Amino acid sequence: MTSLRALECLVAVADSGSITQAALLLHSSQPAVSHQIASLERETRTVLLRREPRGVKLTPAGRAAVADARRAIEAAASAVRSARAAGQAAGGVLRLACAQSLTVALLAPVIRQWHRRHPEVVITLRESTAVDEILGFLDSDEVDLVLMSTPPPGRFTITAVAEEEIVLAAPTGHPLTEQPTVRIEDLEGAPLVHFAPDNGLSVWLDQSLARAGVHPETVMRTSVTAAAPQLAAAGLGIAVCPVSAVSDGFPGAVRSFSPRWVRQLVAVTSTEPDPLVARFIGNLRTHGVRLPRGVRSRLADDNSASAKTRPAS
């Protein structure tokens, strides 16, 4: 099989017109260069150099080989640069997958930051609401990093990156939002806008409610995480959702639970993260979940307003 060194020797001879000069360019000996050229000629089964009194000249076959030899040498050098850049977290390709509900509040701001600070890193993104599908991306080596809320089985490496609050979304004036506090137990029998089975939040919410011994009445299901609070605000019932699913300008009421209800967000990799992935995970942990100012204000205002409506004893 053709060695890169043989191609380097051919290019050096073509550039210098002399085996002696080629040896100097390559910091090698003249016999070593001649040996590499002879090896290449045996492999190509043709003569590549014609020796003349004042040096050597390429044969037509040699000239044809030199162009591809230059490209091969540059490709090898580029491969080394790319690998070095990725190893130093300064370049390469970063393949991400994300639970749909986490894209806007957690992932998008960090990707935007990387596009500005690390333009040499190519970032790709796949989204899903199904836990099995998103973990399948890792198993099939289609992605380097998955962001999700449910810690997967132990075959993966898991790094906690943030916490996200779980809130109650309801129509304005709903009785639950006018109580001094909202507890998970208050959801017993309440009409619930639930998540469809293809959304991983469906199983997570069922398990959370079951642990609390609470049984709301499901009145509608949606696959789209951000649609649940909107349907609740429209008067169909209540929704229990990540606060990131509440949009700026939300038309209903949004309340925190007491005690505060949060879910852990994790970065999942198939092995220990390489330097590029580790740097991205570090930025996720630094950034955390940040909500639009309007959503933060709305949550604070609704909690405050409810506290002021505490009935007199």
Side-chain angles (χ1 to χ4, degrees), residues 86-249:
Q88 297 172 349
V93 178
L94 187 58
R95 303 170 302 166
L96 308 177
C98 186
Q100 190 184 73
S101 61
L102 302 180
T103 304
V104 175
L106 178 61
L107 189 56
V110 178
I111 291 179
R112 183 167 58 248
Q113 181 186 84
W114 271 57
H115 276 312
R116 184 174 66 253
R117 297 181 180 178
H118 309 290
E120 66 282 0
V121 177
V122 177
I123 298 178
T124 64
L125 174 63
R126 303 185 68 170
E127 294 177 288
S128 177
T129 58
V131 173
D132 289 343
E133 181 181 33
I134 205 168
L135 291 179
F137 296 154
L138 271 182
D139 282 329
S140 59
D141 194 33
E142 296 177 59
V143 300
D144 305 304
L145 170 66
V146 162
L147 291 173
M148 60 192 307
S149 62
T150 305
R155 68 184 188 275
F156 298 110
T157 299
I158 302 170
T159 307
V161 294
E163 285 187 344
E164 182 176 31
E165 185 175 6
I166 303 301
V167 297
L168 173 76
T172 301
H174 190 281
L176 283 179
T177 67
E178 296 182 346
Q179 297 179 180
T181 60
V182 178
R183 303 170 303 158
I184 189 171
E185 293 83 359
D186 297 331
L187 304 182
E188 177 67 34
L192 176 69
V193 177
H194 207 330
F195 300 101
D198 62 352
N199 188 319
L201 286 169
S202 175
V203 173
W204 171 83
L205 183 55
D206 282 341
Q207 292 174 343
S208 298
L209 294 173
R211 283 195 297 269
V214 175
H215 306 89
E217 178 186 354
T218 298
V219 295
M220 180 174 285
R221 290 182 181 269
T222 177
S223 295
V224 181
T225 303
Q230 294 291 336
L231 291 169
L236 277 74
I238 62 165
V240 178
C241 61
V243 67
S244 60
V246 180
S247 62
D248 214 355

Side-chain angles (χ1 to χ4, degrees), residues 216-294:
E217 178 186 354
T218 298
V219 295
M220 180 174 285
R221 290 182 181 269
T222 177
S223 295
V224 181
T225 303
Q230 294 291 336
L231 291 169
L236 277 74
I238 62 165
V240 178
C241 61
V243 67
S244 60
V246 180
S247 62
D248 214 355
F250 179 63
V254 56
R255 292 286 312 284
S256 296
F257 283 92
S258 179
R260 190 169 179 265
W261 189 357
V262 298
R263 64 172 181 167
Q264 187 179 63
L265 307 181
V266 297
V268 186
T269 54
S270 56
T271 60
E272 285 297 320
D274 63 30
L276 186 64
V277 174
R279 174 179 284 188
F280 193 84
I281 291 175
N283 286 168
L284 289 171
R285 298 182 70 179
T286 300
H287 185 275
V289 176
R290 298 181 185 177
L291 301 176
R293 182 177 301 174

Side-chain angles (χ1 to χ4, degrees), residues 8-73:
E8 289 174 338
C9 289
L10 180 64
V11 170
V13 170
D15 289 342
S16 66
S18 163
I19 291 181
T20 301
Q21 291 299 316
L24 292 174
L25 290 172
L26 296 172
H27 304 287
S28 184
S29 66
Q30 183 175 335
V33 173
S34 296
H35 174 77
Q36 291 292 341
I37 296 296
S39 174
L40 194 55
E41 288 179 328
R42 285 194 298 273
E43 186 169 353
T44 60
R45 299 177 185 177
T46 188
V47 176
L48 302 176
L49 299 179
R50 184 186 304 113
R51 286 165 176 77
E52 297 186 345
R54 293 188 178 182
V56 294
K57 286 187 177 181
L58 295 177
T59 65
R63 289 195 297 271
V66 163
D68 285 334
R70 293 187 195 278
R71 284 192 287 269
I73 293 168

